[in-house]
Amino acid sequence: ITIDCALTRRCSYKCIYCYGQLQANDEKKMTEEVIFRFLDDAAEIGVKAISFVSDGESTCSPHLYDAILRGRSNGLDMALGTNGFLLKDERLEEILPALTYLRFNISAAEPNRYAEIMGCKESNLLKVINTIKKTVQIKNEKKLPVTMGLQMVLLPHFADQVIPLARLGKELGVDYTVIKHCSD
C-alpha cells in the first residue's frame, strides 16, 4: 500500500541515534531516470503512497523536488521526512501542494543540545526553524491540506528537550509534535 524509502543514503547530519550509520552498504547514486521509473512502476502496480523517509536524507538528492512532483502527477500520495537543513526554501511553494505530509526530524529545541544530538552546527537549528516557519506560512496562506509536524527521536538522555520541543512546535504552528521512542 505504501513504500517508505530514501533517495540516498547520504546525510548532512550525524545524529547520534541514526541506524543508517550502522549500515556498511556502498552508496549508489540513483539517477532521475531510475527514480522516475520506480515512481511510475509503483503507481502502475497500485501503490497508494511513497514516503521519502528512511536511512538517508532525501534532500541530499538533486532529484528530490522533481521526484515529489512526478509521484504526485502519477496519483501517489507523497510525503517527506527531513532534518530540513538542505530543504530549499525557494522550492517550498512548488512541492507543498504535492505533499500529504512533511515531517521535520528535530530532536532538540536548544541550539547546543540540537548540535550535540543531531551531529551538526548549532547555527543549523536557526535555519531549520526558519524553514519550518516558511512552510507553515505557505500552508496557511494557500490553505494547503499538507500535514506538517515535528518528530523527536527520544533516548533517555534527551529528556531535557521534550518540553522545549513541544513548546517550539506550538510556537511554530505545526500540526503535531511527536516523540518517537528509540531503542539502542
Side-chain angles (χ1 to χ4, degrees):
I1 296 176
T2 65
I3 297 174
D4 288 351
C5 62
L7 295 177
T8 180
R9 285 198 56 246
R10 284 184 291 147
C11 188
S12 53
Y13 282 17
K14 298 280 186 205
C15 300
I16 62 176
Y17 52 78
C18 181
Y19 291 124
Q21 295 180 54
L22 300 175
Q23 298 174 352
N25 306 1
D26 290 335
E27 179 183 346
K28 305 289 186 208
K29 295 190 191 296
M30 291 198 334
T31 64
E32 184 178 67
E33 178 187 346
V34 167
I35 294 166
F36 281 12
R37 206 169 51 231
F38 160 71
L39 292 167
D40 296 347
D41 290 348
E44 184 179 321
I45 65 170
V47 172
K48 303 290 185 208
I50 303 286
S51 300
F52 291 135
V53 298
S54 198
D55 294 342
E57 174 59 43
S58 289
T59 59
C60 290
S61 169
H63 310 298
L64 171 69
Y65 305 95
D66 293 333
I68 290 169
L69 298 174
R70 176 66 167 250
R72 188 70 194 133
S73 72
N74 283 347
L76 298 165
D77 283 346
M78 299 300 295
L80 175 63
T82 177
N83 63 37
F85 184 69
L86 295 178
L87 201 55
K88 295 178 182 176
D89 291 355
E90 65 272 12
R91 302 286 309 259
L92 293 173
E93 286 194 43
E94 185 180 8
I95 64 166
L96 284 176
L99 291 173
T100 301
Y101 76 80
L102 172 58
R103 182 187 71 224
F104 290 90
N105 301 316
I106 177 171
S107 293
E110 297 168 346
N112 63 324
R113 293 291 281 142
Y114 181 83
E116 178 186 332
I117 294 166
M118 305 288 289
C120 62
K121 295 179 183 175
E122 287 185 21
S123 59
N124 288 21
L125 179 59
L126 181 59
K127 192 282 182 193
V128 171
I129 287 173
N130 286 334
T131 295
I132 296 168
K133 286 178 181 177
K134 187 165 179 83
T135 63
V136 170
Q137 178 186 2
I138 293 167
K139 174 188 171 159
N140 293 338
E141 286 175 359
K142 297 186 178 280
K143 298 181 180 10
L144 299 174
V146 60
T147 300
M148 293 190 309
L150 307 181
Q151 175 181 275
M152 174 188 204
V153 174
L154 179 64
L155 289 173
H157 53 288
F158 304 170
D160 64 303
Q161 292 302 298
V162 171
I163 299 300
L165 189 62
R167 287 185 179 130
L168 178 63
K170 184 175 182 180
E171 175 187 314
L172 292 172
V174 295
D175 298 305
Y176 67 88
T177 299
V178 64
I179 311 299
K180 174 183 171 183
H181 171 70
C182 181
S183 62
D184 54 9

